[in-house]
Structure formats: structure tokens, C-alpha cells
Amino acid sequence: MPSTILVVDDDPHIRQLLVFAFGKAGLDTIEAADGEEALAQVERHAPNLVVLDINMPRMDGLEVCRRLRAASQVPIFFLSSRDDEIDRVLGIELGGDDYVVKPFSPREVVARSMAILRRTASRPPESEAIAVLRHGRVTLDPESWTVRWGEQEVALTVTEFTILRTLLAMPSRIFSRDNIIDRFRGPGFALTDRTVDSHVRNLRRKFAEVGGSDVIETRAGIGYRLGACSGAPAA
């Protein structure tokens, strides 16, 4: 299925570069020059991915992300004009799926956007059924991209969903941060350990809000593994 990318940046030159690069990759694009226009475009066109500048006047990208996450799980790819880890991690914790720092390579943005779209849109062959994953009170359905704690659905971003799916698939294994990055991004993907930690904090917070305080365990000096998922305090 064709995908539509919303490119949001107050710099028309950057928008032009990205629209051209996505077009060469066979992807349709729409544009927005500020945060308010971005929200309107999402409501009007329901894009498959939002490429979103953080530093914009009037309404910055972090506020746009907050508002989108209140009603949508559309993947968000942040563009940052500063190599500031605090801003980047904050963007991830608000629900972003990836980021790149300006100046960037348009080809890299396209490649990383395509990786997000593949994770979102991939479906198994009709002859191959993917089993629903269950552990304790957690249920993850790869077909419908839904996660539940008991009977209550837990809304996750694409990246959070993929991390949880990785842990659920091998519940007894301890995954290092590098293992997690390699599992759902591919080797060599530009994702930091701290960003993985941010996604894990998001997962813990979202499950804790519905009573799931033991979904992910930390193994000091090693990484993460799936917890008991019973509602007891986590390790």
C-alpha cells in the first residue's frame, strides 16, 4: 500500500529537500510549515508517518507530539536543530519513534522512515499466522498491533510495541540494549542506549497506570527482560 509522509518544518528549503527525497523513494508527501497546520493536516489526511521539526515558532514539535499522542499513534520522526540529548530523549519520552539531528542526510531520513513504515505496515503472508503473545496479564496481538493488560488496552507507539514484542517472544532471555536495537532496528542503526532506556521508562509508566508494575525487569549491568506481568512490584 502507498504511504503518505507529512513533512513539518518552518524552513521551506528543508521541506523541499525531504519532499524530493521521499518522492524519489516512491512515497507521497504533504507539507506543513508550523505546528497548527501540522495538526490540521493529520486530521485531514491521516498520514502514515509525521516527520516533525522540534524547533518551530508558535507551537514547537514537542507540543505537536503531545497533542498527536492524545488522539493518535501515528509514528513520529523528530528533526532537531541542536545536538542536545536532553531534547532528543524528551521527544522520545513524549512518544516519538526516532530522531535525527540537523544537518542530516535526506537519504538517511528516508531510509529510517522506511524502517518505521515497514514495522507499522508489515503483515504476514496469508498462509502464515502469527501467534498472539501472552505472558501473565499481558497480551500482544501482532496482527492488530494491540496490547492489553487484562481486559484493558494499553496504547503504545510503534517503537514501544516492538520492544515489548521482542521481550515477550523470549521471556526468559535478558536483552542488552544493543540486542534490543539490533532486533527491531537492524545492526548499525543510529539509536543510543539512553533512548532505549527512555522507551522502557515509557512502557513501565503506561503499564503502571493500569496496575502493571512488573512488566519489565532491569538486570544491572546487562539489560532488560520480561517480568512476571502479574501486577506485583517489579525487580
Side-chain angles (χ1 to χ4, degrees):
M1 294 291 293
S3 296
T4 299
I5 313 296
L6 171 59
V7 178
V8 187
D9 199 297
D10 60 326
D11 185 334
H13 176 64
I14 290 178
R15 295 201 308 273
Q16 183 180 19
L17 282 176
L18 290 175
V19 167
F20 179 76
F22 281 122
K24 285 187 65 176
L27 298 169
D28 295 329
T29 55
I30 51 179
E31 300 179 46
D34 57 51
E36 293 177 354
E37 185 181 0
L39 295 174
Q41 291 282 50
V42 169
E43 185 174 353
R44 188 178 302 121
H45 297 286
N48 303 96
L49 173 69
V50 178
V51 178
L52 179 61
D53 184 29
I54 289 180
N55 298 296
M56 294 185 295
R58 294 168 52 186
M59 184 188 297
D60 66 17
L62 298 179
E63 179 60 25
V64 174
C65 180
R66 288 189 188 95
R67 297 193 184 193
L68 287 177
R69 281 291 167 262
S72 170
Q73 294 304 311
V74 60
I76 297 172
F77 188 159
F78 279 114
L79 307 176
S80 177
S81 60
R82 294 185 299 167
D83 190 9
D84 188 331
E85 189 172 34
I86 294 176
D87 280 355
R88 287 180 277 153
V89 170
L90 177 59
I92 296 299
E93 290 182 342
L94 287 173
D97 292 280
D98 199 1
Y99 64 84
V100 71
V101 177
K102 299 176 183 179
F104 52 78
S105 161
R107 291 179 61 185
E108 181 184 3
V109 172
V110 170
R112 290 163 67 167
S113 297
M114 294 284 280
I116 296 173
L117 290 170
R118 283 194 296 271
R119 292 200 308 276
T120 307
S122 61
R123 292 292 182 268
E126 293 184 2
S127 59
E128 178 187 350
I130 291 185
V132 172
L133 300 174
R134 294 184 175 89
H135 188 83
R137 299 189 64 190
V138 173
T139 303
L140 182 149
D141 186 346
E143 287 279 1
S144 63
W145 283 78
T146 56
V147 173
R148 294 183 179 277
W149 173 262
E151 297 300 316
Q152 187 165 354
E153 184 170 345
V154 182
L156 303 182
T157 68
V158 175
T159 306
E160 293 161 4
F161 183 96
T162 309
I163 290 176
L164 182 61
R165 180 177 177 178
T166 298
L167 299 179
L168 276 167
M170 303 181 71
S172 63
R173 175 174 173 177
I174 301 174
F175 287 87
S176 70
R177 292 165 180 81
D178 286 343
N179 291 153
I180 292 173
I181 292 168
D182 290 348
R183 282 272 172 166
F184 73 93
R185 297 287 194 182
F189 197 90
L191 189 69
T192 67
D193 290 353
R194 187 169 178 185
T195 306
V196 172
D197 293 342
S198 295
H199 285 300
V200 170
R201 283 198 298 272
N202 277 358
L203 282 164
R204 284 176 167 156
R205 173 181 54 79
K206 289 180 178 182
F207 278 100
E209 289 172 355
V210 295
S213 56
D214 61 342
V215 172
I216 299 177
E217 297 179 358
T218 298
R219 293 305 170 104
I222 307 174
Y224 300 107
R225 82 169 183 180
L226 195 68
C229 300
S230 65

CSV table of all heavy atoms in Angstrom, one decimal, residues 109-147:
chain,number,residue,atom,x,y,z
A,109,VAL,N,17.3,10.0,6.3
A,109,VAL,CA,15.9,10.2,6.8
A,109,VAL,C,14.9,9.3,6.1
A,109,VAL,O,14.1,8.7,6.7
A,109,VAL,CB,15.5,11.7,6.6
A,109,VAL,CG1,14.0,11.9,7.0
A,109,VAL,CG2,16.3,12.6,7.5
A,110,VAL,N,15.1,9.2,4.8
A,110,VAL,CA,14.2,8.3,4.1
A,110,VAL,C,14.4,6.9,4.5
A,110,VAL,O,13.4,6.1,4.7
A,110,VAL,CB,14.4,8.4,2.5
A,110,VAL,CG1,13.7,7.4,1.8
A,110,VAL,CG2,14.0,9.8,2.1
A,111,ALA,N,15.6,6.4,4.6
A,111,ALA,CA,15.9,5.0,5.0
A,111,ALA,C,15.3,4.7,6.4
A,111,ALA,O,14.7,3.7,6.6
A,111,ALA,CB,17.4,4.8,5.0
A,112,ARG,N,15.5,5.6,7.3
A,112,ARG,CA,15.0,5.3,8.7
A,112,ARG,C,13.5,5.5,8.7
A,112,ARG,O,12.8,4.7,9.5
A,112,ARG,CB,15.7,6.3,9.6
A,112,ARG,CG,17.1,5.9,9.8
A,112,ARG,CD,18.0,7.0,10.4
A,112,ARG,NE,17.7,7.3,11.8
A,112,ARG,CZ,18.5,8.0,12.6
A,112,ARG,NH1,19.6,8.5,12.1
A,112,ARG,NH2,18.1,8.2,13.8
A,113,SER,N,12.9,6.3,7.9
A,113,SER,CA,11.4,6.4,7.8
A,113,SER,C,10.9,5.2,7.2
A,113,SER,O,9.8,4.6,7.7
A,113,SER,CB,11.0,7.6,6.9
A,113,SER,OG,11.4,8.8,7.5
A,114,MET,N,11.5,4.6,6.2
A,114,MET,CA,11.1,3.4,5.6
A,114,MET,C,11.1,2.2,6.6
A,114,MET,O,10.2,1.4,6.6
A,114,MET,CB,11.9,3.0,4.4
A,114,MET,CG,11.8,4.0,3.2
A,114,MET,SD,10.3,3.8,2.3
A,114,MET,CE,10.8,2.4,1.2
A,115,ALA,N,12.1,2.2,7.5
A,115,ALA,CA,12.1,1.2,8.5
A,115,ALA,C,11.0,1.3,9.5
A,115,ALA,O,10.4,0.3,9.8
A,115,ALA,CB,13.5,1.3,9.3
A,116,ILE,N,10.6,2.5,9.8
A,116,ILE,CA,9.4,2.7,10.7
A,116,ILE,C,8.1,2.2,10.0
A,116,ILE,O,7.3,1.5,10.5
A,116,ILE,CB,9.3,4.2,11.1
A,116,ILE,CG1,10.4,4.6,12.0
A,116,ILE,CG2,7.9,4.4,11.9
A,116,ILE,CD1,10.5,6.1,12.3
A,117,LEU,N,8.0,2.6,8.7
A,117,LEU,CA,6.8,2.2,7.9
A,117,LEU,C,6.7,0.7,7.8
A,117,LEU,O,5.6,0.1,7.8
A,117,LEU,CB,6.9,2.9,6.5
A,117,LEU,CG,6.7,4.4,6.5
A,117,LEU,CD1,6.9,5.0,5.2
A,117,LEU,CD2,5.3,4.8,7.0
A,118,ARG,N,7.9,0.0,7.6
A,118,ARG,CA,7.8,-1.4,7.4
A,118,ARG,C,7.3,-2.1,8.7
A,118,ARG,O,6.5,-3.0,8.7
A,118,ARG,CB,9.2,-2.0,7.1
A,118,ARG,CG,9.6,-1.8,5.6
A,118,ARG,CD,10.8,-2.6,5.3
A,118,ARG,NE,12.0,-2.2,6.0
A,118,ARG,CZ,12.8,-1.3,5.5
A,118,ARG,NH1,12.6,-0.7,4.4
A,118,ARG,NH2,13.9,-1.0,6.2
A,119,ARG,N,7.8,-1.6,9.9
A,119,ARG,CA,7.3,-2.1,11.1
A,119,ARG,C,5.8,-1.9,11.3
A,119,ARG,O,5.1,-2.7,11.9
A,119,ARG,CB,8.1,-1.5,12.3
A,119,ARG,CG,9.5,-1.9,12.3
A,119,ARG,CD,10.1,-1.7,13.7
A,119,ARG,NE,9.9,-0.4,14.3
A,119,ARG,CZ,10.6,0.7,14.0
A,119,ARG,NH1,11.6,0.6,13.2
A,119,ARG,NH2,10.3,1.9,14.6
A,120,THR,N,5.4,-0.8,10.9
A,120,THR,CA,3.9,-0.4,11.0
A,120,THR,C,3.0,-1.2,10.1
A,120,THR,O,2.0,-1.7,10.5
A,120,THR,CB,3.7,1.1,10.8
A,120,THR,OG1,4.6,1.8,11.6
A,120,THR,CG2,2.3,1.5,11.1
A,121,ALA,N,3.5,-1.3,8.9
A,121,ALA,CA,2.6,-1.8,7.8
A,121,ALA,C,2.8,-3.3,7.5
A,121,ALA,O,2.0,-3.9,6.8
A,121,ALA,CB,2.8,-1.0,6.5
A,122,SER,N,3.9,-3.9,8.0
A,122,SER,CA,4.2,-5.3,7.6
A,122,SER,C,3.1,-6.2,8.1
A,122,SER,O,2.6,-6.1,9.3
A,122,SER,CB,5.5,-5.7,8.1
A,122,SER,OG,5.6,-5.7,9.5
A,123,ARG,N,2.7,-7.2,7.3
A,123,ARG,CA,1.7,-8.2,7.7
A,123,ARG,C,2.3,-9.5,7.2
A,123,ARG,O,2.9,-9.6,6.1
A,123,ARG,CB,0.4,-7.9,7.0
A,123,ARG,CG,-0.3,-6.7,7.6
A,123,ARG,CD,-0.7,-6.9,9.0
A,123,ARG,NE,-1.4,-5.7,9.6
A,123,ARG,CZ,-0.9,-4.8,10.2
A,123,ARG,NH1,0.4,-4.7,10.4
A,123,ARG,NH2,-1.6,-3.8,10.7
A,124,PRO,N,2.0,-10.6,7.9
A,124,PRO,CA,2.5,-11.9,7.5
A,124,PRO,C,1.7,-12.4,6.2
A,124,PRO,O,0.6,-11.9,5.9
A,124,PRO,CB,2.1,-12.8,8.7
A,124,PRO,CG,0.9,-12.1,9.3
A,124,PRO,CD,1.2,-10.7,9.1
A,125,PRO,N,2.3,-13.3,5.5
A,125,PRO,CA,1.6,-14.0,4.4
A,125,PRO,C,0.3,-14.6,4.9
A,125,PRO,O,0.2,-15.0,6.0
A,125,PRO,CB,2.6,-15.0,3.8
A,125,PRO,CG,3.9,-14.6,4.3
A,125,PRO,CD,3.7,-13.9,5.6
A,126,GLU,N,-0.7,-14.7,4.0
A,126,GLU,CA,-2.0,-15.2,4.4
A,126,GLU,C,-1.9,-16.6,4.9
A,126,GLU,O,-2.6,-17.1,5.8
A,126,GLU,CB,-2.9,-15.2,3.2
A,126,GLU,CG,-3.3,-13.8,2.8
A,126,GLU,CD,-4.3,-13.7,1.7
A,126,GLU,OE1,-4.8,-14.9,1.3
A,126,GLU,OE2,-4.7,-12.7,1.2
A,127,SER,N,-0.9,-17.4,4.4
A,127,SER,CA,-0.7,-18.8,4.8
A,127,SER,C,0.0,-18.9,6.2
A,127,SER,O,0.1,-20.0,6.7
A,127,SER,CB,0.0,-19.6,3.8
A,127,SER,OG,1.3,-19.0,3.6
A,128,GLU,N,0.6,-17.8,6.6
A,128,GLU,CA,1.4,-17.8,7.9
A,128,GLU,C,0.7,-17.0,8.9
A,128,GLU,O,0.6,-15.7,8.8
A,128,GLU,CB,2.8,-17.2,7.6
A,128,GLU,CG,3.6,-17.2,8.8
A,128,GLU,CD,5.0,-16.5,8.6
A,128,GLU,OE1,5.3,-16.2,7.4
A,128,GLU,OE2,5.7,-16.2,9.5
A,129,ALA,N,0.2,-17.6,10.0
A,129,ALA,CA,-0.4,-16.9,11.0
A,129,ALA,C,0.6,-16.6,12.1
A,129,ALA,O,1.4,-17.4,12.5
A,129,ALA,CB,-1.6,-17.7,11.6
A,130,ILE,N,0.6,-15.4,12.6
A,130,ILE,CA,1.5,-15.0,13.7
A,130,ILE,C,0.7,-15.1,15.0
A,130,ILE,O,-0.4,-14.5,15.2
A,130,ILE,CB,2.0,-13.6,13.6
A,130,ILE,CG1,3.0,-13.5,12.4
A,130,ILE,CG2,2.7,-13.1,14.8
A,130,ILE,CD1,3.7,-12.2,12.2
A,131,ALA,N,1.2,-15.9,16.0
A,131,ALA,CA,0.5,-16.2,17.2
A,131,ALA,C,0.4,-14.9,18.1
A,131,ALA,O,1.4,-14.1,18.1
A,131,ALA,CB,1.2,-17.3,18.0
A,132,VAL,N,-0.7,-14.8,18.8
A,132,VAL,CA,-0.8,-13.8,19.8
A,132,VAL,C,0.2,-14.2,21.0
A,132,VAL,O,0.3,-15.4,21.4
A,132,VAL,CB,-2.2,-13.8,20.3
A,132,VAL,CG1,-2.3,-12.9,21.6
A,132,VAL,CG2,-3.2,-13.3,19.2
A,133,LEU,N,0.9,-13.2,21.5
A,133,LEU,CA,1.9,-13.5,22.6
A,133,LEU,C,1.2,-13.1,23.9
A,133,LEU,O,0.6,-12.0,24.1
A,133,LEU,CB,3.1,-12.6,22.4
A,133,LEU,CG,3.9,-12.8,21.1
A,133,LEU,CD1,5.0,-11.8,20.9
A,133,LEU,CD2,4.4,-14.3,21.0
A,134,ARG,N,1.4,-14.0,24.9
A,134,ARG,CA,0.8,-13.8,26.2
A,134,ARG,C,1.8,-14.1,27.3
A,134,ARG,O,2.6,-15.1,27.1
A,134,ARG,CB,-0.5,-14.7,26.4
A,134,ARG,CG,-1.6,-14.3,25.5
A,134,ARG,CD,-2.9,-15.2,25.9
A,134,ARG,NE,-4.0,-14.8,25.1
A,134,ARG,CZ,-4.4,-15.3,23.9
A,134,ARG,NH1,-3.6,-16.2,23.3
A,134,ARG,NH2,-5.4,-14.8,23.3
A,135,HIS,N,1.8,-13.4,28.3
A,135,HIS,CA,2.6,-13.6,29.5
A,135,HIS,C,2.0,-13.0,30.7
A,135,HIS,O,1.8,-11.7,30.7
A,135,HIS,CB,4.0,-13.1,29.3
A,135,HIS,CG,5.0,-13.6,30.4
A,135,HIS,ND1,5.6,-14.8,30.4
A,135,HIS,CD2,5.4,-12.9,31.5
A,135,HIS,CE1,6.4,-14.9,31.4
A,135,HIS,NE2,6.3,-13.8,32.1
A,136,GLY,N,1.6,-13.7,31.7
A,136,GLY,CA,0.9,-13.2,32.8
A,136,GLY,C,-0.4,-12.5,32.3
A,136,GLY,O,-1.2,-13.0,31.6
A,137,ARG,N,-0.5,-11.2,32.7
A,137,ARG,CA,-1.7,-10.4,32.3
A,137,ARG,C,-1.5,-9.6,31.0
A,137,ARG,O,-2.4,-8.9,30.6
A,137,ARG,CB,-2.1,-9.5,33.4
A,137,ARG,CG,-2.4,-10.2,34.7
A,137,ARG,CD,-3.0,-9.3,35.7
A,137,ARG,NE,-4.3,-8.8,35.3
A,137,ARG,CZ,-5.0,-7.8,35.8
A,137,ARG,NH1,-4.5,-7.2,36.9
A,137,ARG,NH2,-6.1,-7.4,35.4
A,138,VAL,N,-0.4,-9.8,30.4
A,138,VAL,CA,-0.1,-9.0,29.1
A,138,VAL,C,-0.4,-9.9,27.9
A,138,VAL,O,0.0,-11.0,27.8
A,138,VAL,CB,1.4,-8.6,29.1
A,138,VAL,CG1,1.7,-8.0,27.7
A,138,VAL,CG2,1.7,-7.6,30.2
A,139,THR,N,-1.2,-9.3,27.0
A,139,THR,CA,-1.5,-10.0,25.7
A,139,THR,C,-1.1,-9.0,24.6
A,139,THR,O,-1.5,-7.8,24.6
A,139,THR,CB,-3.0,-10.3,25.6
A,139,THR,OG1,-3.3,-11.1,26.7
A,139,THR,CG2,-3.3,-11.0,24.3
A,140,LEU,N,-0.3,-9.5,23.6
A,140,LEU,CA,0.1,-8.7,22.5
A,140,LEU,C,-0.3,-9.4,21.2
A,140,LEU,O,0.0,-10.6,21.0
A,140,LEU,CB,1.6,-8.5,22.5
A,140,LEU,CG,2.2,-7.6,21.4
A,140,LEU,CD1,3.5,-6.9,21.9
A,140,LEU,CD2,2.7,-8.4,20.2
A,141,ASP,N,-1.1,-8.7,20.4
A,141,ASP,CA,-1.6,-9.2,19.1
A,141,ASP,C,-0.8,-8.6,18.0
A,141,ASP,O,-1.1,-7.4,17.6
A,141,ASP,CB,-3.1,-9.0,19.0
A,141,ASP,CG,-3.6,-9.7,17.7
A,141,ASP,OD1,-2.9,-10.1,16.9
A,141,ASP,OD2,-4.9,-9.7,17.7
A,142,PRO,N,0.2,-9.3,17.3
A,142,PRO,CA,0.9,-8.7,16.2
A,142,PRO,C,0.1,-8.3,15.0
A,142,PRO,O,0.5,-7.4,14.3
A,142,PRO,CB,1.9,-9.8,15.9
A,142,PRO,CG,2.0,-10.7,17.1
A,142,PRO,CD,0.6,-10.7,17.6
A,143,GLU,N,-1.0,-9.0,14.8
A,143,GLU,CA,-1.9,-8.7,13.6
A,143,GLU,C,-2.6,-7.4,13.8
A,143,GLU,O,-2.6,-6.6,12.8
A,143,GLU,CB,-2.9,-9.9,13.5
A,143,GLU,CG,-2.3,-11.2,13.0
A,143,GLU,CD,-2.2,-11.2,11.5
A,143,GLU,OE1,-2.5,-10.1,10.8
A,143,GLU,OE2,-1.7,-12.2,10.9
A,144,SER,N,-3.1,-7.1,14.9
A,144,SER,CA,-3.9,-5.9,15.1
A,144,SER,C,-3.1,-4.8,15.7
A,144,SER,O,-3.6,-3.7,15.9
A,144,SER,CB,-5.1,-6.2,15.9
A,144,SER,OG,-4.8,-6.6,17.2
A,145,TRP,N,-1.8,-5.1,16.1
A,145,TRP,CA,-1.0,-4.1,16.8
A,145,TRP,C,-1.6,-3.6,18.0
A,145,TRP,O,-1.7,-2.4,18.3
A,145,TRP,CB,-0.6,-3.0,15.8
A,145,TRP,CG,0.5,-3.3,14.8
A,145,TRP,CD1,0.3,-4.1,13.7
A,145,TRP,CD2,1.9,-3.0,14.9
A,145,TRP,NE1,1.5,-4.3,13.1
A,145,TRP,CE2,2.5,-3.6,13.8
A,145,TRP,CE3,2.7,-2.3,15.8
A,145,TRP,CZ2,3.9,-3.5,13.6
A,145,TRP,CZ3,4.0,-2.2,15.6
A,145,TRP,CH2,4.6,-2.8,14.5
A,146,THR,N,-2.2,-4.5,18.8
A,146,THR,CA,-2.8,-4.1,20.1
A,146,THR,C,-2.1,-4.8,21.2
A,146,THR,O,-1.7,-5.9,21.1
A,146,THR,CB,-4.3,-4.4,20.1
A,146,THR,OG1,-4.5,-5.8,19.8
A,146,THR,CG2,-5.0,-3.6,19.1
A,147,VAL,N,-2.1,-4.1,22.4
A,147,VAL,CA,-1.6,-4.7,23.6
A,147,VAL,C,-2.6,-4.5,24.7
A,147,VAL,O,-3.2,-3.4,24.8
A,147,VAL,CB,-0.2,-4.0,24.0
A,147,VAL,CG1,0.2,-4.5,25.4
A,147,VAL,CG2,0.8,-4.3,22.9
